[in-house]
Amino acid sequence: MSLGRASAVSLVGLNGSIVDVEADIGGGLPAFILLGLPDASLAESKDRIRSAARNSGIELSPRRITVNLVPASLPKRGSGFDLAIVVAALAAAGEVRPPRDAVFLAELGLDGCLRPVQGVLPAVMAAVAAGRSDVVVAAGNRAEAELVSGATVHGYAHLSEVLHALGADPARLVRHHAPPANPAPAAPDPGSDGPVKPPDLADLSGQHEARFALEVAAAGGHHLMMVGPPGAGKTMLAERLPGILPELDDAEALETTAVHSLAGGAGPLERLIRRPPFESPHHSATMASLIGGGSGLPRPGAASRAHRGVLFLDEAPEFSVKVLDALRQPLESGRLTLHRAAGSASYPARFQLVLAANPCPCGMSVGKGLLCTCSAQQRRRYFGRLSGPLLDRIDLQVQVPRVTSLDLAGGSGEDSSTVAGRVAEARRLQRERLAGFGLNRNAELGRRELAGELAPERGAAASLGRLMDEGRLTARGHGRVLRIAWTVADLRGAGRPGTEDVEIALHLRQATGEAA
C-alpha cells in the first residue's frame, strides 16, 4: 500500500488544530495533487517540495502523487506544511519511516534548506495540548519552539538531515554544509529581555500632574488620554509607561509571545516576552493594520500585538473615526473576534490605551489662546473625531501644559525604577484584594463589586451622584471614577478609598474639561 502519513498544525487565530497529511502514490499521468482547502502559498508548495527533495538526494516519485490535508473542511494557509507534505510523500514511496505522533513545521527552500515560519509557538502549544509532544522544526525556530513546556523539539537546517533521522538511505542523501558557527547577531526584540533599555522618567522635566496620572494608569491598568500643546512631553510620557509596568508573569508572557510569533516582523523569538509591549501606529493606520485583518483568515493587528502592554495613538484626532471607534469593543472585552468570508479568528487584546492630542489643529489653543489660528468650528470638528462613547471608556483624561523655563531649571523628577516600585506594591495589594473575585487589577472591577464589598467609604462618592443627576457623568463614568479612586488609595496604602481619593480620581478624569 503506497500511502504515507505525517502531521502538521493549522492555526486559526491562536487556536491550533492537528492536520494529518496523507500522501498516496497511484497510477495515471504524472501529477502532484494537493487537496484539503490549501491557500495560494500552500498550493505553491508542490514545486518547492519537488526541488527540495531532489536537492536533498531523494527525488519524489514521478508517478501521480495525491496529498490530502485532513480535516478537509479546515482552511490551511502558509508554507509551514512543506516539511510534513514532503515527509508524507517520501513515506508513501517507502523512503522514510516517520513516527506516527511527530509533528513537522517548516518551510522548504528549493535547495532543501528548512526555513523558519511564523506562528511556531502557538502551533507547538497546540501540538502539545493534543498529545503530540515530538516536534520537528527549522533550526531557526528551535529556540522559540523550546519555550513550550513539555515539547521535545528537533531542529534541523536541511531536509537531508530530517530524512536521515527518519531512516533514509544515508548513501543517497546530499551532505549539507552548515552555515558559519557564529552568524551575525539579530537585532534585539524591543519586547524581549534583550539589551534595549526602556526610556526613563528621569528624562522628563516638570509635568507633575501628568506624571502622577501616568503612575495611576500603570498601577491600576487604566486607559489614559493626554491633551496639550506640541512639545509638552505627551509622547515622552507615553513611551515611558512600559518602563514602570510590572513584568509579565509566565501565563501572560506565553500568551503575549504567541501573538508576536504569529504576527511575525521581529523574526524567530528566542525568549518569552516579559516586558509589556509598546505599539505606536501612525495616524494613517487602516482598520486592518490596527484591529487585524488581511486576505483570507484575519491576522492580528497592532491592538493584539499590544496585548498586556500599551497601545499609544499619537495625534489621536487625526486617526479615522471608524478606526478609533473600532477600539470600543476590545476596550471592554479585552478580545477581538474578526469575521471574514474565509472564517473567523479570535485574538487577545487586553491593552492599555494611551491617546495624545493637541488642543486644536494648530496646537496653540492653550491659556487665553492668543496664538491660536483655528476657528471654533475647526476646534469642534477636530475633537469631534473622538466620539463620546470612546472617551467614556478612557479612565484618565489630563491636561499636559507647556513646559516652562522653571520646569527645566528644576531638573528631572523621579526615575522609572522608583515609580515602578510603588506601582508594583499597588499591584500586589490589588492581587490580594481581588483574588476572590477572579480579577487582577482595579481597571477590571465591575459595577457589582464596586456597589458591594468594594464600595468606598460612606459618603465618599456623594459628589458623583450629583454629577450624574446633572448629566455630567455617565453610569460608566461613575464606575471608572471609583476604579481610579481605588488605585489612588492603593498608591498611598489606604485600605479603602475616602472622599479625597474620589475627588482626586474625579479630577484626573475631568481634567481635560470634557464631559465624563
Side-chain angles (χ1 to χ4, degrees), residues 290-341:
L290 187 63
I291 302 301
S295 60
L297 290 175
R299 308 286 289 179
S304 292
R305 294 196 303 273
H307 178 60
R308 300 294 180 186
V310 178
L311 177 63
F312 175 49
L313 303 186
D314 200 4
E315 306 292 346
E318 299 293 344
F319 280 78
S320 162
V321 175
K322 290 184 178 180
V323 170
L324 289 172
D325 282 343
L327 293 172
R328 287 155 52 180
Q329 184 261 339
L331 286 177
E332 292 290 331
S333 65
R335 196 158 197 86
L336 277 165
T337 301
L338 307 172
H339 297 270
R340 298 293 185 272

Side-chain angles (χ1 to χ4, degrees), residues 7 40 74 83 89 92 101 132 158 211 219 231 246 268 276 291 294 371 384 388 433 443 461 471 488:
S7 296
L74 182 69
L83 183 57
D101 293 334
R132 307 289 188 92
H158 197 271
R211 289 171 65 106
I291 302 301
L371 299 179
R433 181 176 62 248
V488 174

Side-chain angles (χ1 to χ4, degrees), residues 235-247:
T235 301
M236 290 183 67
L237 283 161
E239 291 174 344
R240 281 146 183 80
L241 178 55
I244 62 176
L245 291 173
E247 288 194 347

Side-chain angles (χ1 to χ4, degrees), residues 32-318:
F32 195 124
I33 301 172
L34 188 59
L35 308 174
L37 288 183
D39 71 344
S41 61
L42 180 51
E44 293 172 350
S45 66
K46 296 180 288 187
D47 295 325
R48 289 197 302 269
I49 287 169
R50 283 200 179 276
S51 296
R54 182 177 63 254
N55 290 320
S56 298
I58 301 179
E59 294 197 36
L60 296 183
S61 171
R63 300 164 62 189
R64 184 184 185 89
I65 301 176
T66 302
V67 175
N68 185 34
L69 308 178
V70 182
S73 60
L74 182 69
K76 292 91 179 173
R77 58 177 298 165
S79 56
F81 292 87
D82 287 4
L83 183 57
I85 293 173
V86 73
V87 168
L90 292 175
E95 299 285 359
V96 295
R97 297 178 297 279
R100 176 66 178 173
D101 293 334
V103 172
F104 299 87
L105 303 167
E107 177 184 333
L108 291 174
L110 297 182
D111 59 354
C113 286
L114 269 61
R115 303 186 185 280
V117 294
Q118 295 178 2
V120 161
L121 182 61
V124 175
M125 291 168 61
V128 171
R132 307 289 188 92
S133 59
D134 213 22
V135 182
V136 179
V137 298
N141 278 137
R142 179 169 185 167
E144 181 177 336
E146 288 177 339
L147 296 174
V148 181
S149 177
T152 303
V153 181
H154 309 275
Y156 298 102
H158 197 271
L159 177 58
S160 60
E161 299 174 7
V162 179
L163 301 182
H164 182 270
L166 298 180
D169 183 4
R172 299 175 57 190
L173 296 174
V174 173
R175 185 174 180 180
H176 170 61
H177 297 284
N182 296 310
D189 177 10
S192 70
D193 295 330
V196 177
K197 186 178 180 181
D200 199 291
L201 276 172
D203 302 332
L204 194 68
S205 299
Q207 305 299 3
H208 303 294
E209 181 175 322
R211 289 171 65 106
F212 178 67
L214 196 74
E215 182 175 341
V216 172
H222 305 288
H223 307 303
L224 171 65
M225 176 178 174
M226 296 178 286
V227 179
K234 303 184 296 294
T235 301
M236 290 183 67
L237 283 161
E239 291 174 344
R240 281 146 183 80
L241 178 55
I244 62 176
L245 291 173
E247 288 194 347
L248 306 182
D249 61 28
D250 291 343
E252 294 171 340
L254 189 61
E255 186 179 39
T256 301
T257 308
V259 173
H260 285 257
S261 171
L262 186 61
L269 301 168
E270 297 183 352
R271 57 179 67 87
L272 291 177
I273 296 176
R274 295 286 184 180
R275 185 179 302 153
F278 180 82
E279 291 288 329
S280 180
H282 190 260
H283 61 255
S284 62
T286 62
M287 182 83 74
S289 65
L290 187 63
I291 302 301
S295 60
L297 290 175
R299 308 286 289 179
S304 292
R305 294 196 303 273
H307 178 60
R308 300 294 180 186
V310 178
L311 177 63
F312 175 49
L313 303 186
D314 200 4
E315 306 292 346
E318 299 293 344

